[in-house]
Amino acid sequence: MSTTGATADPPPSSRASAGREDPLAALGTLPGVAESVESVRKAVDRVYGHRVMRRRSNEVTAEAALRGARGSAALAGADWALEEVRRRTDFSADGESRVMGAALRLSAEAGQLLSIWRQSPLRVLARLHLVAAADDDARVGRPRRDGEPVDEPLVQLPLPDAAEVSGRLEGLSRLIIAGSAAPALVTAAVVHGELLALRPFGSHNGLIARAAERIVLIGSGLDPKSICPAEVGHAETGRAGYAAALESYASGTPEGMSAWITHCGRAVGLGARESTAVCEALQRGAA
């Protein structure tokens, strides 16, 4: 029996009736996606089955949060060494410091929003922007309006207008609230890709999209202790690889969606590998 509850994905949500269209579940049938889902399950289960997790899971969770925040910040332009993140106490000195501080705050906040996410994803997204932006953005906590600038240099996709952002956010929210038979990886990848393609806020959209992906992975039961930081894997593929994968998502084609979902699967797998290394270090007394 899986220690994570992820050896088999849960049955369709009781909120998702058998007769209702389930577009997220349909994505699970794309070529390569089922294999990616299975690979992720096995990788996550291996970490949860490590003997260190029986006694020191809180330490692994804390370390995963730190490493995940570092990885997410690296993709947002603040590529610091892990020891530098540990050493710093002031995250307000300059632009990179503020990005790192935002990533750390989001990492700490994500696990506190699970119950709200299931009922009102848009409230959670507003909260995530409030946490990330702090006092740096006068438009904090609300989607951008037409003509307002967006600070997200990594993403070069065309910027949807405010009406499209509003409509697609509402659609995404309805899908989340209704529930889906889709594997957790598929839902997490779609939430992540849609938020980054839309860039609904004036700032910190990448950090928020990756935090939302984490919320889905935790809340789905795939990674309930949040010990497999996908952000580490996304960072490991590099900014160029990450941006190219997002372009695949934005294409909307079956091939593009499959490429993005499998990219996210590799990221979760790499996060699991990172935490396995943490477990091994703890076992040796090296961490």
Side-chain angles (χ1 to χ4, degrees):
M1 182 176 178
S2 167
T3 53
T4 68
T7 295
D9 275 279
S13 167
S14 59
R15 296 169 294 166
S17 66
R20 183 180 61 80
E21 183 182 0
D22 191 348
L24 295 181
L27 295 175
T29 67
L30 293 174
V33 171
E35 293 83 355
S36 183
V37 167
E38 183 63 19
S39 176
V40 166
R41 287 175 184 149
K42 289 178 178 177
V44 174
D45 279 351
R46 279 195 295 270
V47 184
Y48 276 82
H50 198 286
R51 61 187 300 178
V52 164
M53 287 294 295
R54 293 197 295 269
R55 297 174 289 107
R56 306 179 70 177
S57 64
N58 289 343
E59 293 174 69
V60 180
T61 294
E63 187 65 18
L66 183 70
R67 295 182 184 217
R70 194 217 71 80
S72 193
L75 289 169
D79 192 359
W80 291 11
L82 187 61
E83 290 311 312
E84 178 69 6
V85 182
R86 294 189 202 280
R87 185 186 66 81
R88 286 287 190 100
T89 56
D90 179 11
F91 294 99
S92 62
D94 52 46
E96 285 195 9
S97 297
R98 288 192 291 274
V99 167
M100 186 61 69
L104 290 166
R105 291 192 299 273
L106 286 175
S107 187
E109 187 78 6
Q112 310 303 313
L113 299 172
L114 295 175
S115 61
I116 303 173
W117 174 260
R118 298 184 187 103
Q119 300 169 9
S120 181
L122 299 185
R123 280 181 58 199
V124 169
L125 294 176
R127 172 63 184 171
L128 291 175
H129 189 238
L130 178 67
V131 169
D135 297 327
D136 294 341
D137 193 334
R139 302 157 294 168
V140 66
R142 67 160 175 83
R144 58 182 170 79
R145 297 169 184 153
D146 283 335
E148 292 181 339
V150 173
D151 180 16
E152 196 62 54
L154 177 60
V155 182
Q156 299 300 316
L157 298 171
L159 191 66
D161 63 25
E164 182 177 352
V165 168
S166 178
R168 286 171 64 176
L169 282 178
E170 286 290 344
L172 183 64
S173 177
R174 286 195 297 271
L175 286 175
I176 293 166
I177 292 170
S180 173
L185 173 64
V186 172
T187 303
V190 169
V191 167
H192 181 174
E194 189 72 354
L195 291 175
L196 202 48
L198 290 177
R199 285 146 290 165
F201 300 106
S203 63
H204 300 93
N205 289 288
L207 296 177
I208 290 168
R210 292 183 288 275
E213 179 185 49
R214 175 179 284 237
I215 288 172
V216 174
L217 294 173
I218 298 170
S220 68
L222 177 64
D223 182 18
K225 294 183 182 292
S226 191
I227 61 169
C228 300
E231 304 96 321
V232 169
H234 289 303
E236 192 166 323
T237 63
R239 299 183 83 198
Y242 181 68
L246 179 65
E247 288 182 8
S248 296
Y249 173 85
S251 74
T253 65
E255 296 80 8
M257 295 300 294
S258 175
W260 171 251
I261 294 167
T262 55
H263 167 88
C264 291
R266 286 192 295 274
V268 177
L270 289 169
R273 186 182 71 179
E274 184 87 355
S275 286
T276 298
V278 170
C279 288
E280 294 293 330
L282 288 170
Q283 187 168 280
R284 295 191 307 269

